[in-house]
Structures are given as structure tokens and as C-alpha cells.
Amino acid sequence: MGAQLRVYKRRIRSVTATKKITKAMEMIAASRIVKAQRQVAASTPYATELTRAVTAVATGSNTKHPLTTEAEAPTRAAVLLITSDRGLAGGYSSNAIKAAERLTERLRGEGKEVDSYIVGRKGVAYFSFRERKIEGSWTGFTDSPSYADAKAVAAPLIEAVSAETAEGGVDELHIVYTEFVSMMTQNPVDSRMLPLSLEKAEEESGVKGEILPLFDFEPSAEDVLDALLPRYVESRIYNALLQSAASEHAARRRAMKSATDNAGELIKTLSRLANAARQAEITQEISEIVGGSAALADATAGSDK
């Protein structure tokens, strides 16, 4: 019985140590969510106004450009998937990966080849384990991305969009990330960045139904679109990285809180079992003492006779 009590005490110490770790991780994630939310709020107006500018240029000119013109028969698409570098965030990365898989299947069903670009070690590990080709990958910044990180991710994608399909270029550019809705809700979404859908862009930028101003383009509308293309892609990717970072912290906080609560319940259960084992041990010792006293009394009485 003493050995069983030692086992319970050892498990209680182990679970208590784990609870301290998960509680600390919960508090760290909660503190980082606030910063991530502020960054999302700060980046959204820039992305919205840039989309408004692109929409105005596209509607004010008849120039054919990769930013706004769809290919007659698209055959190749690039998909950028944003996951996390670290685990312990519940189903955050797996949900984004599932959304990317659904998008990939849909694009292949339309007869398009898909080039995969991955942000985050979890996504890279998923594709590497299945020996699937990755055109580009980036890791090490998913929980705190900067605009420089977004530019690094955007560079090969812009190059692929600008190149001819025969030379390894793509006709479409899609992005899969996790949208931060609230502390309790984060939704994986997929969105087509290029070519830009003017109707969707008008809805996102809030200009749907408005009369846009007329512009004179200097030196030309094509040059203006060439200048706006990298800024547009970078801003969209940066906003998606920030949305994903906020979602990752929220998912990790929720997962760590659940782990902390479960550890507390397990400690209570083990404490009850340890108390029961201790009481059984005490009862057994008392029984042995009483039995020994009775045997000693019987032996003494027999010797007196």
C-alpha cells in the first residue's frame, strides 16, 4: 500500500509541474494577443486604401495587367499557406492545412497545376512528411511577423505572377490563412489575391456603389499598376500574417487554459486516490497493531496458566 501512495504522490508532483507550465504559456499567449490585435487594426486601413487605389486605377483604364486581368485559360495557380512554427495551439495549424487541401483539390478539379508556398514549420513538416513539392517556405516569425517578413514572402510570388506560364509563372495567386474574429473564434479562410476581382475589391474597400474619381496616369496606367502590384501583394500578405498570428495566440491561450483546467481536475482525482490509499494504509496498520496486541494478550494469558 505504501508503494501505491508513493506512485500517487509522484504523479501529483508531475502534473502540478505541468500545470505551472501550461498556466505560464496561457498567460504569455494572452499578453501577446493584445499586441497582435493592435497590429491587425493598424494594418487593415492601409490594406483597404491600397485596394481602393488599385480598384480606381483598374476601373479607370483598359490596360491589361496581371493584377486585374484574368487569363483566358488559366493552367497554373500558386497557393500560399500560413501555419505556425510551434505547436500547443489546438487545431490552429491543422485547420489551415485542411482549408489549403480543399482549395488545392478544387483548383486541380478545374484543371490547374498547383504550386505550394508554405509559411510555418507545421505546414512545412506536413508537406515534407508526405514528400510533396514545396516551391518556397519561410519559418521563424509566425508568432510575431514584420513587414520585412511579408516582403520576403511576397517577392517570389510576385515574380511567379509576373513571369510567363511557360517559364514557371502562374495565372492565379491564392492565400490560405486564419482570420481572427474574436478571442473564441478563428476561421481558416482562402482568398484569391491575383488577379484582383474588382467586385470583391470594391466590397473589401467599401467603394461598392460609389462613383470613383477619374485619373490621369503618368507615365501610363500600366506603369502605375506595376508600381502598385508589389505593394498590394505585400500588404495583403502582411495583414494575413498578422491575422494568423493573433489567431495562433488565441488558439494557444484556449488550448493551454484547457490543459491547465484538465491538470487541476487530474490533481484533484489523484489527491482523492492518494487520501484513500493513505487511509487504507492507516487502517491496515491499526488492524495489525490490534491483531498483534490481541495475539500478545492471548500468549500472555496462556503462559500464566
Side-chain angles (χ1 to χ4, degrees):
M1 192 64 68
Q4 187 176 8
L5 181 60
R6 286 193 296 272
V7 170
Y8 287 138
K9 288 183 176 180
R10 186 166 58 249
R11 290 192 63 189
I12 289 173
R13 288 194 298 269
S14 175
V15 176
T16 301
T18 301
K19 181 181 177 181
K20 291 180 180 178
I21 295 172
T22 56
K23 183 64 177 178
M25 295 183 67
E26 176 191 348
M27 296 176 66
I28 292 172
S31 66
R32 289 178 176 175
I33 291 174
V34 178
K35 179 182 178 182
Q37 284 180 292
R38 290 174 181 171
Q39 289 179 316
V40 171
S43 70
T44 299
Y46 176 78
T48 301
E49 289 302 321
L50 189 55
T51 303
R52 183 190 294 263
V54 172
T55 304
V57 175
T59 55
S61 68
N62 296 322
T63 303
K64 291 186 177 182
H65 193 273
L67 184 60
T68 57
T69 305
E70 295 193 25
E72 294 183 0
T75 59
R76 198 177 193 90
V79 175
L80 174 63
L81 168 63
I82 300 177
T83 61
S84 66
D85 286 321
R86 297 184 295 130
L88 301 178
Y92 164 75
S93 292
S94 61
N95 290 336
I97 290 172
K98 289 177 183 177
E101 292 285 42
R102 290 192 295 268
L103 173 62
T104 300
E105 289 299 320
R106 188 172 78 242
L107 293 174
R108 286 175 177 166
E110 296 172 358
K112 302 170 186 174
E113 296 182 29
V114 178
D115 294 342
S116 298
Y117 296 81
I118 314 294
V119 174
R121 291 190 178 92
K122 292 298 179 180
V124 173
Y126 177 87
F127 276 70
S128 299
F129 179 76
R130 288 159 179 77
E131 298 182 349
R132 293 167 59 177
K133 185 179 179 182
I134 301 175
E135 297 295 332
S137 63
W138 302 265
T139 60
F141 56 81
T142 59
D143 59 346
S144 183
S146 65
Y147 194 81
D149 298 322
K151 291 184 68 174
V153 174
L157 295 172
I158 295 171
E159 184 179 351
V161 170
S162 303
E164 296 293 335
T165 306
E167 300 175 357
V170 297
D171 300 309
E172 297 178 359
L173 174 57
H174 299 257
I175 184 170
V176 179
Y177 65 99
T178 306
E179 181 184 22
F180 181 84
V181 180
S182 66
M183 295 288 286
M184 298 302 297
T185 305
Q186 302 87 43
N187 298 324
V189 297
D190 65 84
S191 176
R192 192 182 76 175
M193 285 196 293
L194 295 175
L196 178 65
S197 172
L198 295 182
E199 183 177 350
K200 186 175 181 180
E202 289 176 356
E203 292 179 357
E204 292 178 351
S205 59
V207 300
K208 189 173 180 62
E210 293 184 12
I211 299 177
L212 295 174
L214 296 177
F215 291 94
D216 290 329
F217 305 112
E218 187 68 34
S220 66
E222 185 175 0
D223 290 334
V224 173
L225 289 173
D226 284 339
L228 287 177
L229 174 61
R231 302 292 179 269
Y232 170 75
V233 175
E234 289 166 6
S235 67
R236 288 290 301 272
I237 291 177
Y238 183 51
N239 187 262
L241 288 172
L242 293 177
Q243 294 266 5
S244 297
S247 300
E248 178 184 348
H249 294 315
R252 181 167 290 112
R253 174 191 170 276
R254 189 167 61 251
M256 292 300 97
K257 185 179 187 306
S258 177
T260 301
D261 294 341
N262 291 338
E265 292 298 323
L266 183 56
I267 290 172
K268 291 180 182 178
T269 301
L270 292 173
S271 297
R272 285 194 295 266
L273 293 173
N275 292 334
R278 185 183 298 108
Q279 292 172 0
E281 185 177 350
I282 293 173
T283 302
Q284 182 178 354
E285 290 177 355
I286 292 174
S287 299
E288 291 174 353
I289 293 172
V290 172
S293 299
L296 182 60
D298 293 340
T300 304
S303 61
D304 291 341
K305 293 179 181 179

